[in-house]
């Protein structure tokens, strides 16, 4: 439903007419939401974070269940696999030397695996997942953009013509087969998605 819009603060609001009128669904249960993601296949699935708190909803935000098993640090971003609503990725933008910056769950948050791999201690700010069969995962990091297929165990620098800088946000523009990156102090950038024609 392209006319449905959500707004997240300490409560969740939804508009069915692209913002003309709003309905308060209820509280987030985490205080003011800092990150929110809605599953592409099922808009009843919502995952929110605030600081280290992470919660999930399967009824469109009417109720939430806490997700455990992650480090007790502030979450920088959340991604949901567009082909599998049970697969979540959570990132952290900490500078600590603990090699704990990217985690994946394949069972909707019941268990987690550290997939930081060769990124080691670099802060990670953003994550998006492409809907191709290999499920390319892209990270906005302290120094550029990194990518890997979902099943790979190594991240590759994805910085074609991109200056080495912090990438604070990433979005996939499917109509243009492109990845768009918002940098810290160097504007917006666009690159063709991996394994796709422009």
């Amino acid at each position: 439903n392209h006319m449905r819009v959500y707004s997240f603060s300490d409560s969740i609001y939804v508009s069915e007419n692209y913002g003309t009128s709003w309905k308060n669904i209820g509280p987030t249960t985490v205080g003011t939401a800092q990150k929110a993601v809605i599953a592409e296949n099922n808009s009843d699935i919502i995952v929110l974070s605030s600081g280290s708190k992470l919660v999930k909803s399967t009824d469109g935000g009417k109720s939430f269940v806490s997700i455990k098993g992650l480090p007790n640090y502030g979450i920088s971003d959340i991604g949901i696999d567009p082909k599998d609503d049970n697969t979540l990725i959570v990132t952290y933008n900490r500078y600590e030397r603990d090699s704990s910056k990217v985690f994946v769950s394949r069972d909707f948050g019941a268990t987690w695996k550290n997939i930081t791999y060769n990124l080691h201690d670099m802060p990670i700010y953003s994550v998006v997942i492409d809907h191709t069969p290999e499920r390319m995962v892209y990270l906005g990091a302290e120094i550029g953009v990194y990518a890997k297929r979902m099943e790979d165990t190594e991240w590759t620098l994805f910085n074609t013509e991109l200056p080495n800088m912090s990438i604070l946000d990433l979005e996939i523009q499917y109509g243009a087969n492109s990845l768009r990156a918002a940098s810290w102090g160097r504007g917006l950038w666009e690159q063709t998605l991996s394994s796709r024609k422009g």
Side-chain angles (χ1 to χ4, degrees), residues 178-195:
S178 65
L179 179 70
R180 293 182 177 169
S183 71
W184 186 82
R186 293 289 299 269
L188 301 174
W189 298 78
E190 181 177 71
Q191 179 58 259
T192 301
L193 289 162
S194 180
S195 304

Side-chain angles (χ1 to χ4, degrees), residues 13-164:
Y13 294 84
V14 63
S15 171
E16 299 291 348
N17 49 26
Y18 209 62
T20 302
S21 60
W22 294 88
K23 177 183 176 184
N24 186 336
I25 298 175
T28 65
T29 73
V30 294
T32 301
Q34 294 171 326
K35 293 293 175 178
V37 64
I38 301 170
E40 287 187 27
N41 299 317
N42 181 353
S43 60
D44 283 338
I45 295 175
I46 300 173
V47 181
L48 303 175
S49 72
S50 180
S52 62
K53 297 176 184 173
L54 187 67
V55 294
K56 62 185 178 182
S57 174
T58 57
D59 58 10
K62 295 177 185 138
S63 65
F64 285 91
V65 174
S66 181
I67 298 176
K68 304 291 186 184
L70 286 165
N72 190 29
Y73 307 117
I75 293 168
S76 59
D77 204 9
I78 312 162
I80 298 180
D81 188 332
K83 293 284 191 179
D84 178 8
D85 298 335
N86 289 309
T87 299
L88 308 175
I89 294 181
V90 169
T91 63
Y92 295 90
N93 61 354
R94 303 168 59 248
Y95 286 94
E96 282 73 6
R97 300 184 61 161
D98 59 5
S99 294
S100 297
K101 304 300 188 279
V102 189
F103 289 81
V104 66
S105 173
R106 302 299 182 94
D107 50 18
F108 203 40
T111 60
W112 293 90
K113 178 183 178 185
N114 186 341
I115 58 168
T116 305
Y117 301 132
N118 57 309
L119 296 173
H120 302 298
D121 303 316
M122 187 181 342
I124 306 298
Y125 299 103
S126 184
V127 59
V128 290
I129 307 168
D130 198 358
H131 59 41
T132 54
E134 60 273 5
R135 308 290 209 295
M136 288 299 296
V137 181
Y138 297 92
L139 299 176
E142 178 73 2
I143 304 173
V145 176
Y146 287 79
K148 78 174 189 71
R149 291 175 296 196
M150 185 66 77
E151 303 305 324
D152 288 349
T153 57
E154 184 175 1
W155 296 93
T156 303
L157 187 63
F158 189 71
N159 265 28
T160 305
E161 299 181 14
L162 179 69
N164 285 334

